[in-house]
Amino acid sequence: MTRALVNVPKTAKRGEVIEIRAMIQHVMETGYREGPNGVMIPRHIIKRFVCKYGGEEIFSAELFPAIAANPFLSFSAVASESGTITFEWTDDKGETQTASADITVT
Amino acid sequence: MNSNTTRPTLEQAIRSFTGGKQVIDGRVKFQISPLVENGNAVPVTVEVDSPMTAENHVRRIALFNEKNPQADVAIFHLGPRAGRAKVSTRIRLATSQAVVALAETSDGGFWSSKANVVVTLAACIEDVSQA
Amino acid sequence: MLRFVLLAAVAFSSMARAEIPSKDKRSGFDFMSPQTQAMQSDETSNPGMLWVLDGERMWSESQGKAEKSCASCHEDAAKTMRGVAARYPAFDEQTKRPIDLAGRINRCRETRQDAPPLARESNELLTLSAYVAYQSHGMPITPAADRRLDKYRENGRAWFERRLGQLQLSCASCHDDRWGARLGGSVIPQGHPTGYPLYRLEWQAVGSLQRRLRGCLVGVRAEPFEYGASEYVDIELFLMSRAAGLKMETPAVRP
């Protein structure tokens, strides 16, 4: 289980552009580093990140080893309706994790 | 970084993203510090001048580097529901080099901006373990 | 392993500024770039907060044969742990010498939870320490006024002023006499322990003050102490009194 910190404003006015942030605890091991014993440390990165709002995909990202450890992503969305914003990310071992936050739109 | 296969050049990486289409310098505002204290986590923000309507919006934003072991950094997919074509993240830069931000608009156009970043060395470089 | 990349740059003259007057005391935060400062200041972008958040979960997780969590006894950390990190290391009645926060947490694990101690620098111990220290965020460092600590603090000071390693540099020669100067790519800070455990970009993770001190020791080509060694605790005791009045920043971010 990795930790994630997602940040969505609790409330917004309809039509307002809101900022969404996500930060995920993950080593993002590049696969280009040598361990202390001289052996390459295998790559282990989050490859894909998806954000859905009211069930519809509004943002996604393909990530490569050049994304810093504990990836941070900030993007925006139009506050369209009250509901849940979900986050889903998958690493190269095929492990998928999720987080979510609710927003009230007035 | 002792891989035998050579990485694509920055230009080749850009071409594979654009499919060889013309790239125009402009509309992309690229915020990245010209001098960074540590290449392990360099904050970047890319903002594209776009109304972000159903008819006219940014579809993808991509980041590529010149000298890391791999040219790709990230590809972001967005659409009119984003409201604003603005994305921030933190990237790794193995050494001082150029970084390019590219945007693909819904009309099939490609726009870009390039930045040069100097990475200073930390005083003590600690590789992997503490042992 | 560690490499120190600026040996040549360390041709120090013998100009000594001695102790830093309190009006000139500055956290390492002040010597960072605006980008790194912003990363620390905004909790939604500070990677150290991932550890704090995880620590919150661990705080109420039952452990050991006693099947108790930290919360079973200490309840709301925001109340019971507030200010604790700002006055550590404290005098430990059991060993009759100073104990640091991580050591104190491990003590509760062993004696109160009946669980094996967590390894120094393990992710779990760093996570719990970060969570407990975060409860003092923004509070001034106020060293414990326990006279029994004095001789250990003096020992810490002696280490700070002693010329160490092949480079024959003391901590003071950099952090008292040369702070603000550039050393290779980085600015020499005053060396205050305000933000630990902290997220170091170089480590790409959260680490302890002892890990940081280890870096400085290896930097001057001195043999570092074992993690948990009493010398580190004594040095921390001295560093905390030297930093008295500066605000706790856990989890800080450093390059």
PDB file of all heavy atoms in Angstrom, chain B residues 30-34 66 97-101 113-117:
ATOM      1  N   PHE B  30       6.881  27.911 -20.347  1.00  0.00           N
ATOM      2  CA  PHE B  30       7.589  26.843 -19.675  1.00  0.00           C
ATOM      3  C   PHE B  30       8.312  27.424 -18.465  1.00  0.00           C
ATOM      4  O   PHE B  30       9.243  28.190 -18.604  1.00  0.00           O
ATOM      5  CB  PHE B  30       8.585  26.274 -20.684  1.00  0.00           C
ATOM      6  CG  PHE B  30       9.199  24.959 -20.306  1.00  0.00           C
ATOM      7  CD1 PHE B  30       8.771  24.244 -19.204  1.00  0.00           C
ATOM      8  CD2 PHE B  30      10.220  24.431 -21.082  1.00  0.00           C
ATOM      9  CE1 PHE B  30       9.341  23.028 -18.881  1.00  0.00           C
ATOM     10  CE2 PHE B  30      10.801  23.214 -20.762  1.00  0.00           C
ATOM     11  CZ  PHE B  30      10.369  22.518 -19.670  1.00  0.00           C
ATOM     12  N   GLN B  31       7.859  27.085 -17.282  1.00  0.00           N
ATOM     13  CA  GLN B  31       8.518  27.579 -16.069  1.00  0.00           C
ATOM     14  C   GLN B  31       9.420  26.507 -15.496  1.00  0.00           C
ATOM     15  O   GLN B  31       8.948  25.466 -15.041  1.00  0.00           O
ATOM     16  CB  GLN B  31       7.489  27.926 -15.007  1.00  0.00           C
ATOM     17  CG  GLN B  31       6.777  29.245 -15.202  1.00  0.00           C
ATOM     18  CD  GLN B  31       5.675  29.381 -14.162  1.00  0.00           C
ATOM     19  OE1 GLN B  31       5.846  29.028 -13.006  1.00  0.00           O
ATOM     20  NE2 GLN B  31       4.521  29.862 -14.588  1.00  0.00           N
ATOM     21  N   ILE B  32      10.715  26.761 -15.517  1.00  0.00           N
ATOM     22  CA  ILE B  32      11.690  25.855 -14.916  1.00  0.00           C
ATOM     23  C   ILE B  32      12.883  26.715 -14.555  1.00  0.00           C
ATOM     24  O   ILE B  32      13.254  27.616 -15.304  1.00  0.00           O
ATOM     25  CB  ILE B  32      12.045  24.694 -15.881  1.00  0.00           C
ATOM     26  CG1 ILE B  32      13.017  23.696 -15.258  1.00  0.00           C
ATOM     27  CG2 ILE B  32      12.579  25.204 -17.210  1.00  0.00           C
ATOM     28  CD1 ILE B  32      13.159  22.381 -16.040  1.00  0.00           C
ATOM     29  N   SER B  33      13.466  26.479 -13.395  1.00  0.00           N
ATOM     30  CA  SER B  33      14.559  27.332 -12.954  1.00  0.00           C
ATOM     31  C   SER B  33      15.799  27.093 -13.823  1.00  0.00           C
ATOM     32  O   SER B  33      16.137  25.952 -14.110  1.00  0.00           O
ATOM     33  CB  SER B  33      14.859  27.034 -11.488  1.00  0.00           C
ATOM     34  OG  SER B  33      16.018  27.703 -11.104  1.00  0.00           O
ATOM     35  N   PRO B  34      16.479  28.155 -14.249  1.00  0.00           N
ATOM     36  CA  PRO B  34      17.679  27.954 -15.078  1.00  0.00           C
ATOM     37  C   PRO B  34      18.840  27.339 -14.304  1.00  0.00           C
ATOM     38  O   PRO B  34      19.758  26.791 -14.886  1.00  0.00           O
ATOM     39  CB  PRO B  34      18.031  29.364 -15.557  1.00  0.00           C
ATOM     40  CG  PRO B  34      17.323  30.295 -14.642  1.00  0.00           C
ATOM     41  CD  PRO B  34      16.145  29.572 -14.077  1.00  0.00           C
ATOM     42  N   GLU B  66      17.267  16.302 -22.990  1.00  0.00           N
ATOM     43  CA  GLU B  66      18.366  16.120 -23.947  1.00  0.00           C
ATOM     44  C   GLU B  66      19.377  15.046 -23.517  1.00  0.00           C
ATOM     45  O   GLU B  66      19.886  14.311 -24.354  1.00  0.00           O
ATOM     46  CB  GLU B  66      19.091  17.473 -24.091  1.00  0.00           C
ATOM     47  CG  GLU B  66      20.215  17.497 -25.093  1.00  0.00           C
ATOM     48  CD  GLU B  66      21.079  18.754 -24.943  1.00  0.00           C
ATOM     49  OE1 GLU B  66      20.833  19.569 -24.032  1.00  0.00           O
ATOM     50  OE2 GLU B  66      22.026  18.901 -25.734  1.00  0.00           O
ATOM     51  N   GLN B  97      21.383  20.419 -18.956  1.00  0.00           N
ATOM     52  CA  GLN B  97      20.903  20.071 -20.295  1.00  0.00           C
ATOM     53  C   GLN B  97      19.674  20.900 -20.692  1.00  0.00           C
ATOM     54  O   GLN B  97      19.157  21.678 -19.902  1.00  0.00           O
ATOM     55  CB  GLN B  97      20.513  18.604 -20.332  1.00  0.00           C
ATOM     56  CG  GLN B  97      19.434  18.236 -19.302  1.00  0.00           C
ATOM     57  CD  GLN B  97      19.128  16.744 -19.300  1.00  0.00           C
ATOM     58  OE1 GLN B  97      18.730  16.205 -20.312  1.00  0.00           O
ATOM     59  NE2 GLN B  97      19.341  16.092 -18.166  1.00  0.00           N
ATOM     60  N   ALA B  98      19.216  20.655 -21.938  1.00  0.00           N
ATOM     61  CA  ALA B  98      18.002  21.305 -22.438  1.00  0.00           C
ATOM     62  C   ALA B  98      16.790  20.427 -22.152  1.00  0.00           C
ATOM     63  O   ALA B  98      16.889  19.202 -22.116  1.00  0.00           O
ATOM     64  CB  ALA B  98      18.121  21.540 -23.939  1.00  0.00           C
ATOM     65  N   VAL B  99      15.649  21.083 -21.898  1.00  0.00           N
ATOM     66  CA  VAL B  99      14.381  20.381 -21.711  1.00  0.00           C
ATOM     67  C   VAL B  99      13.371  21.066 -22.630  1.00  0.00           C
ATOM     68  O   VAL B  99      13.371  22.293 -22.757  1.00  0.00           O
ATOM     69  CB  VAL B  99      13.899  20.477 -20.246  1.00  0.00           C
ATOM     70  CG1 VAL B  99      12.668  19.611 -20.025  1.00  0.00           C
ATOM     71  CG2 VAL B  99      14.994  20.076 -19.286  1.00  0.00           C
ATOM     72  N   VAL B 100      12.534  20.258 -23.289  1.00  0.00           N
ATOM     73  CA  VAL B 100      11.561  20.816 -24.213  1.00  0.00           C
ATOM     74  C   VAL B 100      10.146  20.456 -23.773  1.00  0.00           C
ATOM     75  O   VAL B 100       9.883  19.313 -23.380  1.00  0.00           O
ATOM     76  CB  VAL B 100      11.816  20.303 -25.651  1.00  0.00           C
ATOM     77  CG1 VAL B 100      10.646  20.619 -26.568  1.00  0.00           C
ATOM     78  CG2 VAL B 100      13.088  20.920 -26.208  1.00  0.00           C
ATOM     79  N   ALA B 101       9.245  21.458 -23.811  1.00  0.00           N
ATOM     80  CA  ALA B 101       7.825  21.215 -23.571  1.00  0.00           C
ATOM     81  C   ALA B 101       7.103  21.390 -24.893  1.00  0.00           C
ATOM     82  O   ALA B 101       7.332  22.366 -25.608  1.00  0.00           O
ATOM     83  CB  ALA B 101       7.288  22.202 -22.540  1.00  0.00           C
ATOM     84  N   SER B 113       8.354  24.992 -26.477  1.00  0.00           N
ATOM     85  CA  SER B 113       9.229  25.929 -25.784  1.00  0.00           C
ATOM     86  C   SER B 113      10.393  25.127 -25.211  1.00  0.00           C
ATOM     87  O   SER B 113      10.211  23.998 -24.753  1.00  0.00           O
ATOM     88  CB  SER B 113       8.458  26.628 -24.666  1.00  0.00           C
ATOM     89  OG  SER B 113       9.324  27.431 -23.922  1.00  0.00           O
ATOM     90  N   LYS B 114      11.583  25.717 -25.256  1.00  0.00           N
ATOM     91  CA  LYS B 114      12.778  25.007 -24.805  1.00  0.00           C
ATOM     92  C   LYS B 114      13.433  25.778 -23.671  1.00  0.00           C
ATOM     93  O   LYS B 114      13.414  27.006 -23.668  1.00  0.00           O
ATOM     94  CB  LYS B 114      13.746  24.911 -25.990  1.00  0.00           C
ATOM     95  CG  LYS B 114      14.969  24.052 -25.776  1.00  0.00           C
ATOM     96  CD  LYS B 114      15.730  23.968 -27.106  1.00  0.00           C
ATOM     97  CE  LYS B 114      16.898  23.011 -27.036  1.00  0.00           C
ATOM     98  NZ  LYS B 114      17.492  22.799 -28.375  1.00  0.00           N
ATOM     99  N   ALA B 115      14.011  25.069 -22.714  1.00  0.00           N
ATOM    100  CA  ALA B 115      14.708  25.732 -21.619  1.00  0.00           C
ATOM    101  C   ALA B 115      16.031  25.027 -21.367  1.00  0.00           C
ATOM    102  O   ALA B 115      16.129  23.806 -21.535  1.00  0.00           O
ATOM    103  CB  ALA B 115      13.855  25.682 -20.351  1.00  0.00           C
ATOM    104  N   ASN B 116      17.027  25.797 -20.986  1.00  0.00           N
ATOM    105  CA  ASN B 116      18.311  25.201 -20.610  1.00  0.00           C
ATOM    106  C   ASN B 116      18.467  25.282 -19.102  1.00  0.00           C
ATOM    107  O   ASN B 116      18.252  26.329 -18.505  1.00  0.00           O
ATOM    108  CB  ASN B 116      19.456  25.932 -21.302  1.00  0.00           C
ATOM    109  CG  ASN B 116      19.494  25.587 -22.774  1.00  0.00           C
ATOM    110  OD1 ASN B 116      19.664  24.426 -23.138  1.00  0.00           O
ATOM    111  ND2 ASN B 116      19.282  26.575 -23.617  1.00  0.00           N
ATOM    112  N   VAL B 117      18.837  24.164 -18.508  1.00  0.00           N
ATOM    113  CA  VAL B 117      18.933  24.108 -17.051  1.00  0.00           C
ATOM    114  C   VAL B 117      20.345  23.699 -16.642  1.00  0.00           C
ATOM    115  O   VAL B 117      20.890  22.726 -17.157  1.00  0.00           O
ATOM    116  CB  VAL B 117      17.924  23.088 -16.466  1.00  0.00           C
ATOM    117  CG1 VAL B 117      17.987  23.080 -14.939  1.00  0.00           C
ATOM    118  CG2 VAL B 117      16.516  23.406 -16.940  1.00  0.00           C
TER     119      VAL B 117
END
